[in-house]
């Protein structure tokens, strides 16, 4: 098949949600459609179970599972679908942010009863920053929840989206009768009896027809007609281009657990969702149909077994046909590497692959050469943009508890940071190291892994930091900047890339600094140029 056709049939996306909204359940149902798994319950949950939040052995176990579910690929109606898994646990949000740099679109799952939750807000904010096309799936319609219009309002208000419902629920909870599929003009009735059975829906392009009463009863028919009228009045008509540009977000309703409304979602998704997109690098825009291979590392997975230090670097192919045993340039190291066993992922199986196309994810066994954000090419000097660091939420000094093991400690910290487990800041004033994390859980993970994988021991010490702000002076030579650096010296550090960071101890201090030094811009993410 020519490259352009291979590209056109690929859909690489992520499912994001607040924990428990139904991401795992939906993923599993999508895989069922693709025939990638035969029964429900086959996908192991990648989430950290409730109550196990401080059990790092559990984290280790989960890490093992999550390698298998990192990428779930399947074929559906001639399309090659790659689902990139994102950890639901908030302490691993940074991982999710990074995975979002490798997707071409996302599906956001929202619980009908809980509405928009905190984690969803954060994740959607990142998607919006990158203009990633979003489809919203409102889940658990078999339960009592919020009124559909109220919920759509909430999605617009809290997530800053402009929605257009492409399906609409008929009743909810006890009264849930099904959905009207606006996209395909079909009526899909819910029985709730057979979770494996997939209702095909009844063609129904005129909801004014008296047939509607026969199908769903007088009261529901009346309500549906009124609601459909409102939908037409309030919401814009669907326009694919606006969706692709991140300016309009289609919404589907359903119940993942009951496999209801999922087929509608998937059928529409494969039609409207984007094929692999061009990606900006520091040097130029790289188009997927270019014949030279390019790709970037967005995730690194360490082996759980300390005897096998191999890691797996996940590379998203941006252009060309990635081929086994062909030497590619690792741009940062300026060194060629060839890969004899690149892995591909099919459902839950990992296999060695000969060729991969744009949109695909390959897992490259690595002994420590890769870090997140690295670019591979056939020789061109390119650096893909967009693996930003966000300000961590927690900060602690890290100390070496065993002076005999300082080398191991340095290596361990270095590699764990390359994997993206946490962020390292080095104080300008005294060279002390600070670890910044999104969740407190990471400190245990780091301590545990340093000890078990590198034979090093660390202790932590509290430090009062509110937020890390990346410093961006309008003019590094002006007096204002020089004064800022002098006055704030005690709070300045370098991140791993050498960028200057202001570790502010309060929101007030950020505000004051912005007032006093307006030409010294402060950013909450490392990507601002
Ligand atoms: P997550 O990955 O987003 O964290 O959510 P997950 O799919 O694990 O779903 C969270 C809980 O919600 C699960 O129940 C799941 O069965 C339930 N759920 C998912 N979709 C629906 C739905 O459409 N309707 C209803 N009523 N429930 C749904 P659990 O009790 O936490 O886990 P389990 O014991 O069922 O695995």
């Amino acid at each position: 098949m020519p490259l352009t056709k291979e590209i056109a049939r690929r859909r690489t996306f992520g499912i994001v949600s607040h924990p428990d909204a139904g991401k795992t359940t939906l993923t599993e149902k999508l895989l069922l459609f693709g025939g990638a798994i035969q029964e429900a319950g086959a996908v192991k949950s990648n989430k950290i179970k409730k109550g196990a939040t401080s059990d790092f052995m559990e984290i280790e176990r989960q890490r093992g599972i999550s390698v298998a579910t990192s990428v779930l690929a399947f074929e559906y109606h001639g399309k090659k679908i790659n689902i990139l898994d994102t950890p639901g646990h908030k302490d691993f949000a940074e991982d999710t942010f990074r995975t979002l740099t490798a997707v071409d679109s996302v599906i956001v799952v929202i619980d009908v009863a809980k509405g928009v939750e905190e984690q969803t807000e954060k994740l959607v904010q990142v998607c919006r920053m990158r203009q990633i096309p979003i489809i919203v799936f409102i889940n658990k319609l078999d339960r009592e929840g919020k009124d559909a219009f109220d919920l759509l309002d909430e999605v617009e208000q809290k997530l800053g989206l402009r929605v257009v419902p492409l399906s609409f629920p008929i009743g909810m909870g006890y009264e849930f009768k099904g959905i009207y599929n606006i996209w395909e003009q079909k009526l899909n009735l819910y029985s709730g009896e057979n979770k494996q059975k997939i209702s095909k829906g009844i063609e129904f392009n005129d909801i004014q027809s008296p047939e509607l009463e026969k199908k769903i009863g007088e009261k529901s028919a009346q309500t549906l007609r009124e609601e459909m009228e409102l939908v037409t009045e309030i919401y814009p008509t669907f326009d694919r281009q606006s969706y692709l540009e991140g300016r309009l977000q289609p919404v589907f309703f359903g119940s993942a657990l009951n496999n209801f409304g999922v087929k509608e979602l998937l059928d529409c998704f494969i039609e409207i969702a984007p094929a692999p997109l061009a990606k900006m690098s520091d040097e130029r825009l790289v188009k997927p149909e270019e014949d030279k291979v390019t790709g970037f590392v967005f995730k690194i997975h360490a082996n759980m077994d300390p005897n096998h230090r191999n890691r797996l670097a996940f590379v998203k192919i941006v252009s060309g046909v990635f081929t086994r045993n062909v030497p590619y340039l690792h741009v940062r190291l300026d060194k060629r590497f060839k890969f004899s066993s690149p892995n591909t992922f099919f459902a839950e199986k990992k296999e060695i692959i000969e060729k991969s196309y744009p949109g695909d994810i390959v897992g490259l066994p690595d002994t420590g050469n890769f870090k997140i954000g690295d670019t591979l090419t056939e020789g061109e000097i390119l650096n893909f943009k967009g693996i930003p660091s966000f300000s961590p939420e927690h900060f602690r000094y890290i100390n070496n508890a065993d002076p005999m093991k300082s080398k191991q400690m340095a290596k361990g910290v270095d590699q764990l940071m390359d994997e993206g487990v946490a962020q390292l800041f080095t104080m300008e004033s005294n060279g002390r190291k600070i670890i910044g994390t999104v969740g407190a859980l990471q400190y245990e993970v780091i301590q545990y892994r340093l000890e078990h994988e590198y034979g090093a021991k660390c202790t932590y010490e509290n430090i009062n930091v509110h937020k890390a702000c990346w410093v961006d002076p309008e003019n590094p030579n002006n007096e204002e900047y020089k004064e800022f650096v002098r006055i704030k010296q005690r709070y300045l550090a370098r991140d791993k890339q050498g960028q200057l960071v202001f570790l502010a101890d309060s929101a007030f201090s950020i505000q004051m600094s912005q007032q006093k030094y307006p030409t010294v811009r402060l950013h909450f993410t490392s990507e601002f140029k």
Side-chain angles (χ1 to χ4, degrees), residues 17 19-25 47 139-140 142-143 255-257:
S17 74
D20 275 345
K23 183 169 69 75
T24 313
T25 315
K47 64 179 178 177
N139 190 28
K140 307 196 185 180
D142 57 315
R143 287 199 185 156
S255 164
L257 186 64

Side-chain angles (χ1 to χ4, degrees), residues 84 95-104 126 130 132 279 296-299 316 318 372 385-388 390 527:
L84 305 197
D95 241 16
T96 303
F97 294 149
R98 278 192 296 262
T99 300
L100 290 177
T101 62
V103 302
D104 296 305
V126 177
R130 309 178 158 271
I132 300 176
K279 193 163 173 75
F296 66 95
V297 177
F298 66 95
K299 175 175 176 144
K316 161 112 186 251
V318 177
I372 285 172
K385 275 185 186 301
I387 313 261
F390 294 86
E527 188 191 74

